[in-house]
Amino acid sequence: MTNNAEGVPGSLIVRVEKLEKTYRTESESLTILKGLDMSVPRGAKCVIVGRSGSGKSTLLNIIGGLDSATAGKVFVDGQEISAMGEQELTVYRRRFLGLVFQFHYLLKDFSALENVFLPAYMAGVPRRQAMDKAAALLSDVGLSDRMSHFPAQLSGGERQRVAVARSLVNDPELVLADEPTGNLDPTNAQLIGDLLFSMADRYHKTLILVTHDMNLAAKGSLRYFVRDGALSEECR
C-alpha cells in the first residue's frame, strides 16, 4: 500500500470520515456510529475507550476490513478501505495489518511456533525465514522456552503473548487490538498491555487498541472516547 490517495496527508496512517454503522432487522434498526470522524498519525499508540455496546469494536472491525460501514469513508495508508472488494481486503489484512483479539484464536493442533510461523509462510515467506522470524518474535515476548508447546499447554497470558507475536510476523504497518486483555486476570492483563505497547515501540508500529481498562488506556499517546456514536479526544 502506498500513501498517495487524495485527501490523506502523509502524516496520517488512518483517517475516518463521517462513518455510520446501522444494524437492521425486519422489525427495527440500530445506529451505533453516527457521522464519526477520526485521525490517527503514523506511529501513534491510539486507544479507543467506550461503554459496552458503544461501537468501539465495530469501528476497529471496519478499519480492519472485517466489517463494512453503512456510510462514510475509511482511508488507511492512503487507500480507501471502504471502497475495496473482498479480495483486496484479504490482501490488505494479510500484508498491512496485525490483529489481536480478546480471544487468542490459536490453532489447537499446532505449537506456539507453528501458530506464529503459519501466517508468514502462507503469505509467501520462505519456510526457513518464516520459522526464524516466528522464533525471534516468540523470544521477544518471553516464550523462548515454550515454542514447542501447544495452546492447551499454555496459560491464558502465554496464549495471548503468542497472539501478539503472531500479529507482528508479517511486519504490518498497523496493529489493531480489540480488548486484548479482556479475558485475563489483572496481573496478566497488565503484562499483556505493557507488552503490546513495548512491542509496538520496538518494531515501530502504529497501534490502535480498544479497551474498557482505563489503566491500559492511560498508556496511549492518543486517546478517544466513543460517546453517542461519535469520538471525543479525551478519556473520562
Side-chain angles (χ1 to χ4, degrees):
M1 297 179 71
T2 58
N3 203 26
N4 57 11
E6 181 180 356
V8 182
S11 61
L12 295 181
I13 194 168
V14 174
R15 192 175 78 179
V16 177
E17 296 180 347
K18 302 186 184 309
L19 193 70
E20 295 185 9
K21 180 62 178 182
T22 299
Y23 292 100
R24 293 186 174 90
T25 66
E26 292 183 0
S27 59
E28 62 181 353
S29 65
L30 175 65
T31 299
I32 59 171
L33 300 178
K34 306 170 184 177
L36 181 147
D37 295 314
M38 176 183 178
S39 296
V40 180
R42 190 176 302 276
K45 309 299 180 289
C46 175
V47 179
I48 303 171
V49 180
R51 294 192 180 101
S52 178
S54 63
K56 57 187 185 297
S57 291
T58 298
L59 171 59
L60 200 73
N61 286 338
I62 292 172
I63 294 171
L66 300 168
D67 198 355
S68 58
T70 306
K73 295 182 179 181
V74 178
F75 296 94
V76 179
D77 198 44
Q79 302 297 311
E80 188 181 349
I81 303 308
S82 46
M84 287 184 176
E86 192 52 47
Q87 187 172 355
E88 291 175 295
L89 286 170
T90 298
V91 173
Y92 160 66
R93 288 189 295 265
R94 180 185 301 155
R95 295 183 179 175
F96 194 80
L97 293 184
L99 299 169
V100 183
F101 300 99
Q102 185 171 351
F103 185 73
H104 54 78
Y105 293 112
L106 300 181
L107 300 173
K108 65 183 181 65
D109 295 325
F110 292 83
S111 68
L113 181 62
E114 290 166 336
N115 267 281
V116 179
F117 152 83
L118 278 171
Y121 186 61
M122 292 174 66
V125 178
R127 183 181 183 86
R128 185 68 262 167
Q129 183 180 339
M131 196 68 78
D132 290 345
K133 196 170 188 179
L137 282 166
L138 284 170
S139 181
D140 283 347
V141 300
L143 293 177
S144 57
D145 60 341
R146 309 287 279 174
M147 294 186 194
S148 62
H149 287 63
F150 292 88
Q153 299 171 310
L154 301 172
S155 69
E158 287 172 336
R159 288 193 288 267
Q160 202 65 329
R161 279 194 260 169
V162 176
V164 172
R166 181 183 58 192
S167 75
L168 294 167
V169 74
N170 282 332
D171 196 23
E173 292 289 327
L174 176 62
V175 176
L176 304 179
D178 188 6
E179 295 282 9
T181 65
N183 282 336
L184 302 174
D185 62 82
T187 299
N188 274 307
Q190 182 173 341
L191 288 171
I192 294 300
D194 289 345
L195 180 66
L196 269 167
F197 282 93
S198 66
M199 292 292 280
D201 278 335
R202 180 182 300 183
Y203 287 97
H204 309 291
K205 306 303 178 188
T206 304
L207 174 67
I208 303 178
L209 184 148
V210 162
T211 185
H212 65 274
D213 183 340
M214 297 305 294
N215 290 324
L216 182 57
K219 299 178 185 295
S221 60
L222 175 63
R223 294 184 293 276
Y224 283 117
F225 196 97
V226 183
R227 183 185 289 113
D228 298 325
L231 289 185
S232 59
E233 196 173 332
E234 59 182 344
C235 280
R236 292 179 180 173

